[in-house]
Amino acid sequence: QVQLQESGPGLVKPSETLSLICSVSGAFITNKIHHWGWIRQTPRKRLEWLGSLTSDGTSYITPSLEGRITLSADTSKNQLSLKLTSVTAADTAVYYCARHIDQRRVLFDVWGQGTVVTVSP
Amino acid sequence: AIQMTQSPPSFSASIGDTVTITCRASQGISNNLAWYQQKPGKAPTLLVYAASSLQSAIPSRFSGGGVGTDFTLTITSLQSDDFASYFCQQYYSSPYSFGQGTNLDI
């Protein structure tokens, strides 16, 4: 079955760039049936959709993070990537990658286990 | 941006009870609403989409309803495995937003 696994640095200093990887198994990220999204959950448990990537590499981003976030894919490794610049304490969260249920609708039927990111000096 | 408001924020119930969680959208979203369950330390799991369609492998004691701005998730005959947090999410328009969650405690 489809599995997603996030990986990242755990701790990032303020003003630095956060880089996360999502490794996908059991499905090709280039398949035209699904898009792939990133969601984060704050320490207060609020969930926030960050952005999504289509099978052809086009990204669409939540407006509040436009200009700070870049989504991309490495099709040779079947991996997704998220880069978030100029991080602050407000970016401390659990970051999830997830599969869209289909290419038309932005809801998520398969999630990774999440990776904890703390922004601190 | 569409705001999603869940109520109640937390709820205590007993095994065998029937509970209903409410989600309200700040503007009409047709039936573009999903419900997720989340257990401590785990990722959310999709329960319901299109407001009332049950995701595969989800028990039939879960049901969703509503259209427009007001939605419900009902769990009948609560089992111990159902004590968790529940979130609604609208996928009508970007930014795709979640409710703040409802914690269901035993």
Side-chain angles (χ1 to χ4, degrees), chain A residues 57-89:
Chain A
T58 302
S59 62
Y60 44 112
I61 307 296
T62 191
S64 63
L65 291 177
E66 284 275 10
R68 289 185 59 207
I69 195 170
T70 302
L71 302 183
S72 60
D74 184 335
T75 56
S76 67
K77 296 180 180 178
N78 214 40
Q79 291 178 338
L80 309 165
S81 169
L82 176 152
K83 292 188 187 300
L84 182 64
T85 61
S86 304
V87 298
T88 70

Side-chain angles (χ1 to χ4, degrees), chain A residues 3 5 7 10 32-33 36-37 40 52 72 90 105 113 116:
Chain A
Q3 292 185 311
Q5 180 151 348
S7 57
K32 297 192 184 303
I33 301 172
W36 306 88
R40 67 184 178 185
S52 294
S72 60
R105 296 175 290 185
Q113 87 282 1
V116 177

Side-chain angles (χ1 to χ4, degrees), chain A residues 6-7 18-22 35-43 46-54 58-72 80-85 87-88 90-100 106-108 111 114-117 119, chain B residues 36 89-90 93-98:
Chain A
E6 306 87 348
S7 57
L18 167 66
S19 294
L20 299 176
I21 295 290
C22 173
H35 294 179
W36 306 88
W38 289 89
I39 304 101
R40 67 184 178 185
Q41 187 167 35
T42 69
R46 296 301 296 261
L47 289 162
E48 179 184 17
W49 170 74
L50 305 179
S52 294
L53 198 66
T54 68
T58 302
S59 62
Y60 44 112
I61 307 296
T62 191
S64 63
L65 291 177
E66 284 275 10
R68 289 185 59 207
I69 195 170
T70 302
L71 302 183
S72 60
L80 309 165
S81 169
L82 176 152
K83 292 188 187 300
L84 182 64
T85 61
V87 298
T88 70
D91 297 309
T92 293
V94 178
Y95 285 74
Y96 295 99
C97 57
R99 186 182 77 172
H100 289 209
V106 185
L107 68 144
F108 310 100
W111 294 62
T115 188
V116 177
V117 174
V119 179
Chain B
Y36 300 87
Q89 182 225 329
Q90 66 82 15
S93 68
S94 175
Y96 306 101
S97 47
F98 292 83

